Amino acid sequence: MADPRGFNDTLAPVRQRAQWQLDEALAKLAGLCTQLGAARHTLTALEQRAREQAAHAGNAWRTRVDPSLQTRALHFLARVHGEQAAARLRIAELEQHESAARAESVKRQARLESLQRHRDEALGHFIQEQQRKDSVRADDDWLTRNPVTPRRSPP
């Protein structure tokens, strides 16, 4: 096998920068996924709270007739529904950001893979050239040690 020492990868800094950009894009994607999970958890908790409070308010309205209590309960439920709507909007926004971050990560991954393929091809060409040079040196060395004498034809 040929020795890859001496191979000069001129695109190494570009590939390193592409790796850093990919790492940054993946970190951003991970952060957005975490935020999205938290927002979904918040929405689930709000929905559960709204169901519980609506059931509680329905039971209270049947047992007691207190207009101020009913008004407060309705305001509270309206506020919870408003929080749910805001949470749904936040989730939709985060999903859009996550989708964009995922696309950016895929794009950066493809670029890094392209740069890696280029490096592998250049290294392959370098090794082939090294092997060719080694073969030429070996042939020259053999010819130097074993001079070729012309064959004599029989008399």
Side-chain angles (χ1 to χ4, degrees):
M1 173 150 178
D3 188 5
R5 287 182 292 185
F7 174 67
N8 183 19
D9 184 13
T10 56
L11 292 179
V14 174
R15 194 175 55 258
Q16 182 62 47
R17 189 176 327 114
Q19 179 66 52
W20 292 338
Q21 290 171 341
L22 173 62
D23 293 344
E24 181 182 336
L26 289 174
K28 181 180 178 182
L29 178 61
L32 286 169
C33 287
T34 301
Q35 289 178 12
L36 186 57
R40 286 180 175 148
H41 178 72
T42 300
L43 178 60
T44 302
L46 284 171
E47 288 172 342
Q48 178 64 28
R49 185 176 176 195
R51 281 191 299 273
E52 290 170 359
Q53 292 300 319
H56 179 68
N59 290 337
W61 290 339
R62 283 186 223 114
T63 58
R64 289 179 264 163
V65 179
D66 184 0
S68 66
L69 182 63
Q70 290 174 352
T71 303
R72 283 197 320 247
L74 287 174
H75 284 292
F76 177 78
L77 289 173
R79 186 173 54 94
V80 170
H81 285 293
E83 290 173 4
Q84 286 176 332
R88 284 187 185 96
L89 287 174
R90 176 76 177 139
I91 288 171
E93 177 184 316
L94 285 171
E95 285 173 342
Q96 287 176 347
H97 289 304
E98 179 195 30
S99 177
R102 192 173 305 280
E104 183 68 20
S105 296
V106 167
K107 182 179 89 171
R108 295 204 183 274
Q109 177 71 34
R111 182 168 190 260
L112 181 62
E113 288 172 359
S114 172
L115 289 168
Q116 185 62 38
R117 273 192 311 277
H118 178 272
R119 180 195 180 280
D120 294 343
E121 289 171 6
L123 181 60
H125 291 304
F126 175 80
I127 288 173
Q128 283 179 340
E129 183 63 21
Q130 288 299 103
Q131 289 172 341
R132 188 193 64 77
K133 287 178 182 178
D134 289 345
S135 294
V136 168
R137 268 189 241 115
D139 288 347
D140 288 345
D141 187 43
W142 187 86
L143 288 173
T144 303
R145 289 187 186 154
N146 302 312
V148 176
T149 55
R151 288 190 170 194
R152 294 185 191 158
S153 44

